Amino acid sequence: MATPSDPTVADTIDTINDFPKGVCCRTRDDLEKRLLRKLDLRMSILLILYTLNLIDRTNISNARLQGFEKDLHLHGQQYATTLSILLVGYIIMQVPGNMFLHWLERPSVIIPCCMLVWGTISVLAGTTKNYTGILVARFFLGFAEAPFFPGMIFLVSKWYKRDELALRIALVTSGSFLSSAFGSLLASGILHGMQDKLGQAAWRWLFYIEGGITILVAICAIFVLPDFPHNTRWMSPEERALAVSRLVEDGYSKADEVGKQTTMQGVWDAVSDWKVWWFSVADMLQIMGCSFFIYFPTLCATLGYDTTVTLLLCAPPWVFAAIVAFCLTWYSDKKQKRYKCFVISNAFGVFAFTVSAITMNKVARYISLFLMAQILTGNMVLLGWISNTFAREPAKRAIAIALMNALGQIGGIIGSYVWPSKWGPTYRYSYIICIAAIGVSTGMFGGMYLYLKHLNEQIERNERDFVHFPEHPTQEKMDFMKKLACNAMVSKVYG
């Protein structure tokens, strides 16, 4: 298993970096472009996987429009509980899932296996007969899905440089838009055409068909997904060395070597870093503010159309959101303005919540759904920012991403109860709660932005001061180098 310190890989890296003058840049650039094209093509399957992940998680919202609650005899807050119980299993398994991924180093096996399990559970959810059955199925669905999302983000962060990361994360996580758009269209067809086929209700066919698709795609994914730069089997030695060297140049350095930091060290470093907890609480509030996502078909139904038209109307806002996501994340990568892009997205979302809270005009409310949908774009930028903040230590990064996502899902559990039917059809109080949550989260991320900006300025000052020391290694210079190394362990972060 190759690492940057292995002699063979080190020699190959030197060969790549030491082409003759006038040739090296062009040759190195050509190799890097070819590697990125190959990698992007393989990674693109994550978009499909994430789309299916969210379709299987949220198909219950579409099923609700076609007799789901009536057939399972749900009443009161039982529907909200079936939504939130998934997140309980999700939270429990996230950190252990990413710990296992970091230890085994085979995402090409772990991620598809998780898909096979949750696809099977999704199919079985269609056979449930009562509240207890669907509750158990949803809990284990969350348990099986938990390792997927943080594992996917960790995998992407292990391959791409920091100025490439936000756009790539947006590309793979735009499955959230596709799942809402394509999932609604698929659900419209199934719910309209499959009622009473083979004696089964249409919403049951929704679970059978979508879960079956997940199982088939998971089998294909085993042969497509990469592992990590040092152990992916389908890469040539030159490609592997280049993949490692470009990350070294981007500041990952030898901290990203295999075995440099154990999984348990990563756990300790993550839980003892206050930034992880700050991000977690802010992310929890952000997810709570975005809880409209799981009730989107219900909100669209307040426009007063039948089930088929309602599901068709759900699709365009998510297509719009996908376009905004690509534009905003491309800009954030190009200009390195993560927080500012995040604020812009949240501001439009708050405006949409306000419009929906004060009017029942169909046109105004439908336009506001477009602006609500794009708020998830800010979350994509946020993921790139978080990955950059913990860029250097891979074990810590794996645990930090999982821990923040797990704790953030507490906001999803709370958000499940923010939209009770008695507050409809205006859902005014729900929108006010979301506005408050988004406002506080934006302020907390703003505090982190100012802190990281100050830290970057301090690192730059230390680097400038280092130049003024004499060439000979005096004790004063050695002490300063230690200080500089400690500061460098928090790589400069794009805010």
Side-chain angles (χ1 to χ4, degrees):
M1 201 178 288
T3 72
S5 58
D6 289 343
T8 305
V9 176
D11 291 343
T12 312
I13 292 174
D14 291 339
T15 303
I16 290 171
N17 290 330
D18 294 333
F19 284 116
K21 203 156 188 160
V23 177
C24 66
C25 290
R26 195 164 57 248
T27 307
R28 163 70 184 250
D29 288 348
D30 289 344
L31 286 172
E32 192 164 353
K33 286 177 182 177
R34 196 184 317 143
L35 174 64
L36 281 174
R37 281 196 299 269
K38 191 175 189 178
L39 185 59
D40 287 343
L41 188 62
R42 294 263 183 171
M43 287 289 195
S44 63
I45 195 173
L46 288 173
L47 169 61
I48 301 172
L49 306 189
Y50 190 48
T51 299
L52 294 172
N53 174 255
L54 289 177
I55 284 177
D56 288 331
R57 189 189 308 179
T58 60
N59 54 14
I60 189 173
S61 301
N62 296 322
R64 188 188 192 193
L65 301 177
Q66 193 78 3
F68 172 81
E69 289 179 284
K70 180 181 177 182
D71 289 351
L72 297 184
H73 314 293
L74 304 186
H75 55 82
Q77 292 291 328
Q78 289 183 337
Y79 174 75
T81 303
T82 60
L83 290 177
S84 63
I85 195 67
L86 178 142
L87 297 175
V88 175
Y90 197 76
I91 290 169
I92 291 171
M93 195 58 188
Q94 285 228 334
V95 173
N98 249 25
M99 288 175 66
F100 185 66
L101 176 63
H102 178 263
W103 174 76
L104 189 63
E105 297 178 341
R106 291 295 178 191
S108 64
V109 175
I110 295 174
I111 290 176
C113 285
C114 289
M115 285 191 71
L116 285 169
V117 175
W118 92 58
T120 303
I121 293 173
S122 184
V123 171
L124 293 176
T127 67
T128 55
K129 304 295 184 183
N130 51 41
Y131 173 61
T132 303
I134 193 63
L135 204 66
V136 171
R138 292 282 294 176
F139 173 79
F140 284 106
L141 181 64
F143 202 79
E145 286 188 350
F148 173 75
F149 183 76
M152 177 182 74
I153 299 300
F154 181 55
L155 174 62
V156 173
S157 74
K158 286 282 285 183
W159 281 95
Y160 293 102
K161 298 191 293 187
R162 285 173 293 173
D163 60 355
E164 301 166 345
L165 199 54
L167 181 59
R168 261 65 179 201
I169 287 178
L171 288 170
V172 297
T173 57
S174 59
S176 59
F177 306 128
L178 286 179
S179 69
S180 299
F182 176 69
S184 295
L185 295 175
L186 180 62
S188 175
I190 294 172
L191 295 178
H192 179 72
M194 297 298 290
Q195 182 65 33
D196 294 326
K197 299 293 182 182
L198 300 180
Q200 299 286 310
W203 68 263
R204 295 187 186 277
W205 281 108
L206 189 66
F207 287 96
Y208 299 155
I209 293 172
E210 292 178 349
I213 292 172
T214 297
I215 292 171
L216 292 175
V217 173
I219 295 170
C220 299
I222 296 174
F223 305 100
V224 178
L225 277 176
D227 289 311
F228 295 137
H230 66 275
N231 68 341
T232 295
R233 294 168 180 169
W234 46 260
M235 293 175 68
S236 67
E238 291 78 12
E239 290 173 329
R240 188 178 296 115
L242 178 58
V244 172
S245 68
R246 61 196 297 272
L247 295 177
V248 169
E249 293 162 5
D250 193 48
Y252 286 75
S253 189
K254 292 191 176 182
D256 224 27
E257 293 179 26
V258 178
K260 184 75 175 183
Q261 187 185 39
T262 66
T263 302
M264 293 311 298
Q265 279 179 310
V267 173
W268 171 250
D269 288 346
V271 299
S272 61
D273 189 338
W274 69 269
K275 295 193 295 298
V276 172
W277 298 101
W278 187 275
F279 271 125
S280 297
V281 174
D283 192 38
M284 179 186 73
L285 291 166
Q286 181 72 16
I287 291 174
M288 179 180 166
C290 294
S291 57
F292 70 90
F293 174 77
I294 51 178
Y295 284 90
F296 202 81
T298 300
L299 297 179
C300 208
T302 62
L303 299 177
Y305 299 102
D306 64 32
T307 299
T308 302
V309 174
T310 294
L311 290 172
L312 292 175
L313 288 174
C314 285
W318 297 110
V319 175
F320 170 76
I323 295 170
V324 173
F326 294 138
C327 295
L328 200 64
T329 52
W330 173 83
Y331 178 82
S332 76
D333 266 348
K334 186 176 178 64
K335 300 295 184 180
Q336 306 303 334
K337 302 294 184 185
R338 309 282 195 229
Y339 178 68
K340 292 178 181 177
C341 291
F342 173 72
V343 170
I344 291 170
S345 178
N346 274 3
F348 279 107
V350 168
F351 175 73
F353 292 149
T354 304
V355 170
S356 290
I358 64 177
T359 182
M360 285 300 292
N361 179 274
K362 287 186 179 182
V363 175
R365 286 176 73 87
Y366 189 55
I367 292 174
S368 72
L369 291 176
F370 282 77
L371 297 180
M372 279 185 220
Q374 66 77 43
I375 202 172
L376 298 185
T377 298
N379 295 355
M380 294 177 180
V381 174
L382 185 63
L383 288 170
W385 187 24
I386 290 172
S387 295
N388 285 347
T389 304
F390 305 99
R392 291 186 64 89
E393 306 97 337
K396 178 181 177 180
R397 191 189 331 144
I399 305 306
I401 290 171
L403 185 61
M404 287 183 285
N405 197 51
L407 295 177
Q409 295 306 318
I410 295 173
I413 294 176
I414 299 170
S416 299
Y417 296 93
V418 168
W419 304 86
S421 298
K422 64 182 179 181
W423 287 356
T426 63
Y427 291 103
R428 185 172 294 115
Y429 298 118
S430 305
Y431 287 122
I432 291 172
I433 292 170
C434 288
I435 290 171
I438 292 291
V440 176
S441 73
T442 304
M444 290 188 69
F445 284 121
M448 180 61 72
Y449 165 72
L450 294 175
Y451 169 75
L452 293 175
K453 183 179 179 181
H454 169 73
L455 193 63
N456 287 342
E457 290 170 353
Q458 183 181 5
I459 292 172
E460 288 174 356
R461 282 197 303 270
N462 289 341
E463 289 172 347
R464 286 196 302 270
D465 293 343
F466 181 75
V467 177
H468 299 297
F469 279 93
E471 292 185 8
H472 299 294
T474 62
Q475 184 60 44
E476 184 182 9
K477 184 174 181 179
M478 295 298 291
D479 292 341
F480 187 82
M481 288 175 68
K482 289 179 181 178
K483 177 183 176 184
L484 191 62
C486 289
N487 281 340
M489 286 307 290
V490 187
S491 291
K492 288 182 66 178
V493 177
Y494 302 133

